[in-house]
Amino acid sequence: MVRVRFAPSPTGFFHIGGARTALFNWLYARHQNGVFVLRIEDTDRERHVEGAIDVIVEGMEWLGMDWDEGPMVGGKFGPYLQSRRNTIYYDYLDILCRKNLVYRRDEAIYFRVSHEPQLINDLIRGPVYRTEEKDFVIFRSDGTPVFHFVNVVDDAAMEISHVIRGEDHLSNSSKHVELFKAFDMPIPQFAHIPLILKTDGAGKMSKRDTGALVEDYRKRHFLPEALRNYLCLLGWSPKEDREILPIDEIVRLFDLCDVNKNNARFDDKKLSYINTTYIRAMPLDRFLNWGRAILAGISNDQQYVDHVLMICQEKLRSFEELKHFVSYFFDEHFDWDQKMQRDLGKYNPTQRINEFLGAIESLEDFSEQKLEKIVGELAQTHAVKMGDYIHTLRFALSGRTVGPSFYKMLAVMGRERVLKRLKRAIESGAIAC
Ligand code: GLU
């Protein structure tokens, strides 16, 4: 039976690297029909941060990683907070005492190493041998147990079969193998997953780097399934050049032997691209729910808000930009981008707008199709391109040069709003020539 665990130290942040480690454990457990354990490594009292466990729990839930044993759900190997497992640690210390494998020096308790090379059987890196040269502390002078000790005791006591963790822990593994042997416990398989480097490749990503925290993506309205999909690609790939795929399929394909040895590089552009792709593929009702929540309070006319949202889905790149992307729809006093104004001169904008105004003044059918037909006819009559109308009108109606599909935008704004805006554009001098 595969039993894996994610064992975060609650620091107050949920780092991208931690989330990726959690995810690889979760994927492997689900792929193997195994058990995924969440264990909180909170023995470091000096670094105790209020609410830090919640940050991890909420981040995991947001990313859709459920655990079979751990805080909130319990399990037969609990408690799952190391701060509540002291009696277990003393029992294990007893085993080592009886075997004369520990001694006290300067109030701390040391473990006696064997000085023999230890095999770390790593599923990603192959066999690695390392020799621990020096005895190491397992209990500090204040009586608290040290990371190496509690980590191994818990992996042994919780019958963990595979230790999947960041490569930065590879150097600890020989200490851990020594301890497993000292307890006469089976040694788990190891899988040390590659580090995540910063976008520019200059060093390991740390919590201070922009884009390093899961909670920031949540605040920025990223889709959790997009971030999750991206994290799966940091050190693993589904082959055949595929990148975007549903989580069920990733679960089916994921295996530790396909995880890369090489460091992964955090690529925020790729993450944004994946997020955009997921947004475009959202079912409409879900897209509307997300959009409504972000635009809450922007207008009393919920139907208008929904219509605006509907025409934005195919153009929106992120929910983070949504408010800005649609702001002019809800603001009759928006400004025109001065810089763009000069570029419009070549279209004879005032003339184009007046021609269009003439064509829609008594128009009943203000549908996308009808409007497209009208612009086509105008272009033909005046021997100019349809784009001359489109660019001019979009600018006059929104103050911008990009936005949702032009005819959809007109139809959603409606005839009255369009007439009013075009008149304001001309009267205000925003369209000068
Ligand atoms: N608490 C350790 C960490 O957060 C866990 C290491 C491990 O997975 O063994 O790095």
Short mmCIF file of all heavy atoms in Angstrom, two decimals, residues 5-11 18 21 25 39-42 47 82 147 151-152 155 163-166 168-169 172 176 190 192, ligand 1:
data_model
loop_
_atom_site.label_atom_id
_atom_site.label_comp_id
_atom_site.label_asym_id
_atom_site.label_seq_id
_atom_site.Cartn_x
_atom_site.Cartn_y
_atom_site.Cartn_z
N ARG A 5 3.22 11.37 2.29
CA ARG A 5 2.81 12.48 3.16
C ARG A 5 3.36 13.78 2.65
O ARG A 5 4.41 13.84 2.00
CB ARG A 5 3.22 12.20 4.60
CG ARG A 5 4.65 12.55 5.02
CD ARG A 5 5.75 12.00 4.17
NE ARG A 5 7.07 12.12 4.71
CZ ARG A 5 7.93 13.12 4.46
NH1 ARG A 5 7.59 14.10 3.65
NH2 ARG A 5 9.13 13.13 4.98
N PHE A 6 2.63 14.86 2.95
CA PHE A 6 3.18 16.19 2.78
C PHE A 6 3.38 16.69 4.20
O PHE A 6 2.46 16.62 5.02
CB PHE A 6 2.20 17.07 2.00
CG PHE A 6 2.61 18.52 1.91
CD1 PHE A 6 3.89 18.87 1.52
CD2 PHE A 6 1.69 19.53 2.22
CE1 PHE A 6 4.27 20.21 1.45
CE2 PHE A 6 2.06 20.87 2.14
CZ PHE A 6 3.34 21.21 1.76
N ALA A 7 4.61 17.17 4.48
CA ALA A 7 4.97 17.48 5.87
C ALA A 7 5.47 18.92 6.01
O ALA A 7 6.64 19.15 6.29
CB ALA A 7 6.03 16.49 6.35
N PRO A 8 4.59 19.89 5.79
CA PRO A 8 5.07 21.28 5.81
C PRO A 8 5.36 21.79 7.23
O PRO A 8 4.72 21.37 8.18
CB PRO A 8 3.87 22.05 5.23
CG PRO A 8 2.68 21.24 5.63
CD PRO A 8 3.14 19.80 5.57
N SER A 9 6.34 22.69 7.30
CA SER A 9 6.57 23.43 8.53
C SER A 9 5.76 24.72 8.39
O SER A 9 5.95 25.46 7.44
CB SER A 9 8.05 23.76 8.68
OG SER A 9 8.80 22.58 8.53
N PRO A 10 4.87 24.99 9.32
CA PRO A 10 4.00 26.17 9.15
C PRO A 10 4.74 27.47 9.41
O PRO A 10 5.02 27.82 10.54
CB PRO A 10 2.90 25.94 10.19
CG PRO A 10 3.45 24.98 11.17
CD PRO A 10 4.55 24.22 10.54
N THR A 11 5.07 28.17 8.35
CA THR A 11 5.86 29.40 8.47
C THR A 11 4.98 30.64 8.33
O THR A 11 5.45 31.76 8.52
CB THR A 11 6.90 29.45 7.34
OG1 THR A 11 6.19 29.34 6.09
CG2 THR A 11 7.91 28.34 7.45
N GLY A 18 6.36 24.41 -1.91
CA GLY A 18 5.64 23.53 -0.99
C GLY A 18 4.39 22.97 -1.66
O GLY A 18 4.09 21.78 -1.57
N THR A 21 5.37 20.26 -4.00
CA THR A 21 5.69 19.03 -3.28
C THR A 21 4.40 18.33 -2.84
O THR A 21 4.25 17.11 -3.00
CB THR A 21 6.56 19.33 -2.03
OG1 THR A 21 7.76 19.97 -2.48
CG2 THR A 21 6.90 18.08 -1.27
N ASN A 25 2.99 14.57 -4.20
CA ASN A 25 2.58 13.52 -3.26
C ASN A 25 1.14 13.12 -3.50
O ASN A 25 0.80 11.93 -3.56
CB ASN A 25 2.74 14.00 -1.82
CG ASN A 25 4.16 13.81 -1.29
OD1 ASN A 25 4.54 12.71 -0.91
ND2 ASN A 25 4.94 14.87 -1.29
N ARG A 39 0.81 16.08 7.37
CA ARG A 39 1.39 16.12 8.71
C ARG A 39 2.04 17.48 8.92
O ARG A 39 2.80 17.93 8.06
CB ARG A 39 2.45 15.02 8.83
CG ARG A 39 3.16 15.04 10.16
CD ARG A 39 4.11 13.88 10.30
NE ARG A 39 5.39 14.11 9.66
CZ ARG A 39 6.05 13.19 8.94
NH1 ARG A 39 5.53 12.00 8.71
NH2 ARG A 39 7.23 13.48 8.44
N ILE A 40 1.72 18.11 10.01
CA ILE A 40 2.25 19.45 10.25
C ILE A 40 3.49 19.37 11.13
O ILE A 40 3.43 18.89 12.27
CB ILE A 40 1.17 20.33 10.93
CG1 ILE A 40 -0.15 20.34 10.11
CG2 ILE A 40 1.68 21.73 11.17
CD1 ILE A 40 -0.06 21.01 8.76
N GLU A 41 4.61 19.84 10.59
CA GLU A 41 5.88 19.76 11.32
C GLU A 41 6.10 21.07 12.08
O GLU A 41 6.84 21.95 11.63
CB GLU A 41 7.02 19.41 10.35
CG GLU A 41 6.76 18.09 9.63
CD GLU A 41 8.00 17.26 9.31
OE1 GLU A 41 9.03 17.85 8.94
OE2 GLU A 41 7.91 16.02 9.44
N ASP A 42 5.44 21.15 13.23
CA ASP A 42 5.44 22.42 13.98
C ASP A 42 6.18 22.30 15.31
O ASP A 42 5.72 22.78 16.34
CB ASP A 42 3.99 22.86 14.23
CG ASP A 42 3.19 21.80 14.99
OD1 ASP A 42 3.68 20.66 15.10
OD2 ASP A 42 2.10 22.13 15.48
N ARG A 47 9.72 29.54 15.88
CA ARG A 47 9.20 30.05 14.60
C ARG A 47 7.68 29.96 14.53
O ARG A 47 7.10 30.14 13.47
CB ARG A 47 9.84 29.27 13.45
CG ARG A 47 11.31 29.59 13.34
CD ARG A 47 11.92 29.43 11.97
NE ARG A 47 11.17 28.69 10.99
CZ ARG A 47 11.70 27.80 10.18
NH1 ARG A 47 12.98 27.53 10.28
NH2 ARG A 47 10.99 27.21 9.26
N GLN A 82 2.93 17.65 14.92
CA GLN A 82 4.08 17.15 15.70
C GLN A 82 4.10 17.71 17.11
O GLN A 82 4.54 17.03 18.03
CB GLN A 82 5.38 17.46 14.96
CG GLN A 82 5.56 16.59 13.72
CD GLN A 82 6.91 16.76 13.06
OE1 GLN A 82 7.50 17.83 13.12
NE2 GLN A 82 7.37 15.71 12.41
N PHE A 147 14.31 18.31 14.03
CA PHE A 147 13.68 17.92 12.76
C PHE A 147 14.01 16.50 12.30
O PHE A 147 13.12 15.70 12.03
CB PHE A 147 14.02 18.94 11.67
CG PHE A 147 13.82 18.44 10.27
CD1 PHE A 147 12.54 18.22 9.77
CD2 PHE A 147 14.91 18.13 9.44
CE1 PHE A 147 12.34 17.73 8.49
CE2 PHE A 147 14.71 17.65 8.16
CZ PHE A 147 13.43 17.44 7.68
N ASN A 151 10.96 13.80 12.10
CA ASN A 151 10.63 13.49 10.72
C ASN A 151 10.69 11.98 10.49
O ASN A 151 9.78 11.37 9.92
CB ASN A 151 11.62 14.25 9.82
CG ASN A 151 11.31 14.16 8.34
OD1 ASN A 151 11.90 13.34 7.64
ND2 ASN A 151 10.39 14.99 7.85
N VAL A 152 11.77 11.36 10.97
CA VAL A 152 11.93 9.91 10.78
C VAL A 152 10.97 9.12 11.66
O VAL A 152 10.33 8.17 11.21
CB VAL A 152 13.40 9.49 11.03
CG1 VAL A 152 13.52 7.97 11.06
CG2 VAL A 152 14.29 10.08 9.94
N ASP A 155 7.61 9.30 10.00
CA ASP A 155 7.53 8.51 8.77
C ASP A 155 7.47 7.02 9.12
O ASP A 155 6.74 6.25 8.48
CB ASP A 155 8.73 8.80 7.85
CG ASP A 155 8.57 10.13 7.13
OD1 ASP A 155 7.44 10.66 7.09
OD2 ASP A 155 9.58 10.65 6.60
N VAL A 163 8.91 8.76 0.49
CA VAL A 163 9.16 10.13 0.93
C VAL A 163 9.44 10.97 -0.31
O VAL A 163 10.50 10.85 -0.93
CB VAL A 163 10.35 10.17 1.92
CG1 VAL A 163 10.80 11.60 2.15
CG2 VAL A 163 9.97 9.50 3.24
N ILE A 164 8.46 11.78 -0.67
CA ILE A 164 8.61 12.63 -1.85
C ILE A 164 8.78 14.05 -1.34
O ILE A 164 7.89 14.59 -0.67
CB ILE A 164 7.34 12.55 -2.75
CG1 ILE A 164 7.05 11.09 -3.12
CG2 ILE A 164 7.51 13.43 -3.99
CD1 ILE A 164 5.67 10.89 -3.75
N ARG A 165 9.94 14.65 -1.59
CA ARG A 165 10.20 15.99 -1.05
C ARG A 165 11.24 16.70 -1.90
O ARG A 165 11.81 16.12 -2.82
CB ARG A 165 10.67 15.89 0.40
CG ARG A 165 11.94 15.09 0.57
CD ARG A 165 12.29 14.94 2.03
NE ARG A 165 13.41 14.04 2.25
CZ ARG A 165 13.76 13.57 3.43
NH1 ARG A 165 13.10 13.93 4.52
NH2 ARG A 165 14.79 12.75 3.55
N GLY A 166 11.46 17.97 -1.57
CA GLY A 166 12.37 18.80 -2.36
C GLY A 166 13.80 18.31 -2.30
O GLY A 166 14.23 17.70 -1.30
N ASP A 168 16.38 19.83 -1.79
CA ASP A 168 17.18 20.42 -0.70
C ASP A 168 17.26 19.48 0.50
O ASP A 168 18.13 19.64 1.35
CB ASP A 168 16.62 21.80 -0.29
CG ASP A 168 15.12 21.82 -0.13
OD1 ASP A 168 14.44 20.99 -0.79
OD2 ASP A 168 14.60 22.64 0.65
N HIS A 169 16.40 18.47 0.56
CA HIS A 169 16.45 17.51 1.68
C HIS A 169 17.32 16.28 1.39
O HIS A 169 17.50 15.44 2.27
CB HIS A 169 15.05 17.05 2.06
CG HIS A 169 14.30 18.09 2.83
ND1 HIS A 169 14.63 18.45 4.11
CD2 HIS A 169 13.24 18.87 2.49
CE1 HIS A 169 13.81 19.40 4.54
NE2 HIS A 169 12.95 19.68 3.58
N ASN A 172 19.91 15.52 3.80
CA ASN A 172 19.50 15.02 5.13
C ASN A 172 19.26 13.52 5.13
O ASN A 172 19.15 12.91 6.20
CB ASN A 172 18.18 15.67 5.55
CG ASN A 172 18.32 17.17 5.76
OD1 ASN A 172 19.36 17.63 6.22
ND2 ASN A 172 17.29 17.92 5.40
N HIS A 176 18.70 10.35 7.95
CA HIS A 176 17.39 9.71 8.13
C HIS A 176 17.48 8.19 7.98
O HIS A 176 16.89 7.44 8.75
CB HIS A 176 16.38 10.32 7.15
CG HIS A 176 16.16 11.79 7.41
ND1 HIS A 176 15.27 12.55 6.72
CD2 HIS A 176 16.74 12.63 8.30
CE1 HIS A 176 15.30 13.79 7.17
NE2 HIS A 176 16.19 13.86 8.13
N PHE A 190 12.76 6.87 -1.53
CA PHE A 190 12.86 8.33 -1.59
C PHE A 190 12.64 8.83 -3.01
O PHE A 190 12.92 8.12 -3.98
CB PHE A 190 14.24 8.80 -1.11
CG PHE A 190 14.44 8.62 0.38
CD1 PHE A 190 15.08 7.49 0.88
CD2 PHE A 190 13.97 9.57 1.27
CE1 PHE A 190 15.25 7.31 2.25
CE2 PHE A 190 14.15 9.41 2.64
CZ PHE A 190 14.79 8.27 3.13
N HIS A 192 13.45 12.62 -4.50
CA HIS A 192 13.78 14.04 -4.28
C HIS A 192 13.51 14.81 -5.57
O HIS A 192 14.14 14.56 -6.58
CB HIS A 192 15.22 14.18 -3.80
CG HIS A 192 15.37 13.75 -2.38
ND1 HIS A 192 15.76 12.48 -2.03
CD2 HIS A 192 15.11 14.40 -1.20
CE1 HIS A 192 15.77 12.37 -0.69
NE2 HIS A 192 15.37 13.53 -0.18
N1 GLU B 1 9.08 19.95 7.36
C1 GLU B 1 9.99 19.66 6.32
C2 GLU B 1 9.94 20.80 5.29
O1 GLU B 1 8.99 21.56 5.31
C3 GLU B 1 9.61 18.35 5.67
C4 GLU B 1 10.66 17.65 4.95
C5 GLU B 1 10.21 16.30 4.42
O2 GLU B 1 9.29 16.31 3.61
O3 GLU B 1 10.74 15.31 4.85
O4 GLU B 1 10.83 20.99 4.52
#
